[in-house]
Amino acid sequence: MAKGGRPTIDPGSVLNSYTEPNNTSGFKNDIMDISTYPIRNSGDEDVPSPACSTWKPVIVNEMDFFPTDRNCSKESHRVNVKKESAQGVMIGCLGLNTGLNLTANTSSEKSNEDDRTNNTSNKKSFNELIALQAELDRMSMENERLKVLLKQVNDNYNSLQIHFATLMQHQQTRKAKTGIVDEVINGDKSNGGGLTRQFMDLHRVEKDEPSHTSSEGGLRDCSRSPMKDKVELEYKKQKICSSSSEIIQLDLDKSDSRNGTTTTGREDSPDQAIPGPVLNKAPRFTTSRDADHQHPETLSMIRKARVSVRARSDGTTINDGCQWRKYGQKMAKGNPCPRAYYRCTMGASCPVRKQVQRCAEDRSILITTYEGNHNHPLPPAAMATASYTSAAASMLLSGSMPSADALMNSNILARTALSSSPSFATLSASAPFPTVTLDLTQPHNASQFQRAVQGQFNMFSSSLPHFMSAPQVFGQALQNQSKYVGLHSSQGMELPPFASSNQIHTPSLSDAIGSATAAITADPNFTAALVAAITSIIGNVHSNHSGNSTQPTARNNNDKN
DNA sequence: CGGCTTTGACCGGCGC
DNA sequence: GCGCCGGTCAAAGCCG
């Protein structure tokens, strides 16, 4: 307990849990966007899973939602026809003669009370008939609508099936090529996690022991009971369908694991030894170049978009340059570590919140999830590193952000960087709110991310002629980052493993990203923040991996000194 | 005394 | 309708 409050458990000692929900609660709110999946024609053959031939889709071609009602209606009308035809009322089951002959009542020349009674009865029956017909029409329309809906669901299901099969094929191909199955982010977590992790489990399922497949795996083990496999697969597919709109799962570890070494920055060219991304699909957010036409839902989604940072830290929270006030702490299901809720107090009514929780599996990992936009200027310390996660967030929100051109460019960077550094980031729109997770627990993740960004910088910067001066931002960014170091050191923050000894003052990229995430939306000019990100990253790369610092790095070092 | 943390209560969404 | 769960509120308490 840092200050005040009733004595209780130290949140720092037990804080956390990965932001991905656990299996029991991580899927209930998931929305699946299958619109981007390829639509299969009804005549297409089912594509069996390469992992298990027993996977057969259940295709429902058509369904009559009101067979009973319709029969009843027909029968009812049939009766009515008999009943009314004598009075000139023509009624068909599928069509109603609206030119009803209502002159039957005119024959009541006797004008006695019996006739009036009969007329009243006839009119009543007629009204009932009209109502029934209307109801029938309504049901028919509803039936047609549901048919269309069912067809869409079937198409989407088939598309997902193809997509899944493609993923499995991709996995097998890559495995055959590399001989090593990737450990994805949080790959050490066997059963926990939400959709992302679940998807990862699918991703890595091929290497799982058969005994592990009872709950999570089993897709490949076709030697087991086909029926059981089918059931499990269907269940898994349902979970995916219900929870996954899309995942861009990037595995950085594979390049290193394949090489058996940790890449060390500048020696490697950005486009070298980095496999292509496991880009399952494009983000579901369609690109909109017209900010004025943003839908309220989209804007709301932007506000709700979250950036999660996984970083090793012994402190209760990572220092991100912002001021936070804790306003709550809860025990999250599936994680023995409590989740702490913080609110930004730098602005009068700043809506930015963050959640801090320790990873259940590895409590040295602190997961910080940021949400919201700062409505106040940020200190340089926060601004400098805010952009680290800007790229990730921009990728997450690609096409949904107001500034179209800038975001397109930022997406270029984000996609390039992240695609070049698989496993550094996991993008998930499946959660209740779209979330991009930056995993900085692996040293090479950070270094590869830096390297990837660096390699793309020239191309990227050329497309941003209107951006603010990169060296300017760069110098300030690194200067500000250097200020973090002492603070973090005093808080027991660990230095990044990739930082060389002679650069002991180089800030932890994890911390930097943490602070960046906190301030991710602080800058209304998102592109400027993105430039700051690029330049900062480049600076870090140079300062971390090269004694021959580039000018910005040297400048930074000078600033630090 | 102001500012902060702690923590139980409360609220709303969601699934059954 | 009920229970679960995540998120938030606010009173209580602590510290400088």
Side-chain angles (χ1 to χ4, degrees), chain A residues 16-69:
Chain A
N16 176 45
S17 95
Y18 184 34
T19 54
E20 288 290 340
N22 56 53
N23 281 339
T24 57
S25 63
F27 309 105
K28 61 181 180 181
N29 292 332
D30 291 337
I31 299 171
M32 169 179 154
D33 183 354
I34 39 187
S35 59
T36 56
Y37 283 83
I39 301 300
R40 294 184 66 206
N41 295 329
S42 58
D44 291 345
E45 291 185 3
D46 299 335
V47 178
S49 165
C52 181
S53 61
T54 59
W55 176 17
K56 295 294 183 182
V58 178
I59 298 178
V60 182
N61 293 325
E62 185 174 354
M63 179 183 294
D64 188 347
F65 290 95
F66 307 104
T68 305
D69 291 347

Side-chain angles (χ1 to χ4, degrees), chain A residues 120-133:
Chain A
T120 301
S121 177
N122 290 337
K123 288 180 180 178
K124 185 176 181 180
S125 298
F126 173 71
N127 289 336
E128 290 177 356
L129 194 61
I130 294 297
L132 285 173
Q133 182 64 32

Side-chain angles (χ1 to χ4, degrees), chain A residues 20-261:
Chain A
E20 288 290 340
N22 56 53
N23 281 339
T24 57
S25 63
F27 309 105
K28 61 181 180 181
N29 292 332
D30 291 337
I31 299 171
M32 169 179 154
D33 183 354
I34 39 187
S35 59
T36 56
Y37 283 83
I39 301 300
R40 294 184 66 206
N41 295 329
S42 58
D44 291 345
E45 291 185 3
D46 299 335
V47 178
S49 165
C52 181
S53 61
T54 59
W55 176 17
K56 295 294 183 182
V58 178
I59 298 178
V60 182
N61 293 325
E62 185 174 354
M63 179 183 294
D64 188 347
F65 290 95
F66 307 104
T68 305
D69 291 347
R70 179 178 294 177
N71 290 339
C72 291
S73 299
K74 286 179 179 178
E75 186 64 26
S76 174
H77 283 291
R78 195 174 299 123
V79 173
N80 287 337
V81 167
K82 290 179 181 178
K83 181 178 177 180
E84 303 289 341
S85 60
Q87 300 178 18
V89 178
M90 305 301 293
I91 300 174
C93 188
L94 299 178
L96 178 65
N97 185 356
T98 55
L100 298 172
N101 183 1
L102 300 179
T103 58
N105 291 338
T106 61
S107 64
S108 58
E109 296 178 356
K110 299 178 182 178
S111 300
N112 53 36
E113 290 205 334
D114 291 339
D115 286 339
R116 282 198 294 269
T117 301
N118 288 336
N119 289 339
T120 301
S121 177
N122 290 337
K123 288 180 180 178
K124 185 176 181 180
S125 298
F126 173 71
N127 289 336
E128 290 177 356
L129 194 61
I130 294 297
L132 285 173
Q133 182 64 32
E135 181 70 10
L136 178 64
D137 291 340
R138 190 187 64 80
M139 287 185 169
S140 296
M141 291 180 61
E142 180 71 8
N143 196 8
E144 289 300 318
R145 192 182 65 82
L146 289 174
K147 283 180 182 178
V148 173
L149 205 60
L150 178 64
K151 185 178 184 307
Q152 290 179 343
V153 170
N154 273 330
D155 289 341
N156 291 336
Y157 176 80
N158 293 333
S159 301
L160 265 182
Q161 173 191 335
I162 291 179
H163 182 69
F164 182 78
T166 302
L167 284 177
M168 298 302 294
Q169 278 183 328
H170 185 103
Q171 172 68 16
Q172 284 190 338
T173 301
R174 194 175 53 182
K175 180 182 178 182
K177 187 181 299 181
T178 64
I180 297 177
V181 180
D182 311 332
E183 278 292 335
V184 292
I185 300 172
N186 304 322
D188 54 336
K189 304 173 181 62
S190 57
N191 289 323
L195 170 72
T196 301
R197 190 173 305 152
Q198 179 188 59
F199 196 85
M200 292 171 181
D201 290 337
L202 286 175
H203 178 74
R204 67 174 181 180
V205 68
E206 289 185 283
K207 73 165 186 173
D208 289 343
E209 293 292 330
S211 60
H212 296 164
T213 61
S214 59
S215 60
E216 288 289 332
L219 295 182
R220 196 173 66 114
D221 186 9
C222 296
S223 61
R224 300 188 309 162
S225 167
M227 203 57 199
K228 184 178 180 181
D229 284 339
K230 184 175 181 178
V231 170
E232 290 184 359
L233 193 53
E234 287 295 331
Y235 171 69
K236 196 176 291 289
K237 286 191 294 181
Q238 287 178 6
K239 293 212 299 184
I240 293 175
C241 292
S242 64
S243 60
S244 165
S245 62
E246 68 154 12
I247 291 268
I248 294 180
Q249 186 261 307
L250 305 163
D251 191 349
L252 177 69
D253 292 351
K254 62 172 142 315
S255 61
D256 285 343
S257 60
R258 183 163 52 237
N259 298 335
T261 59

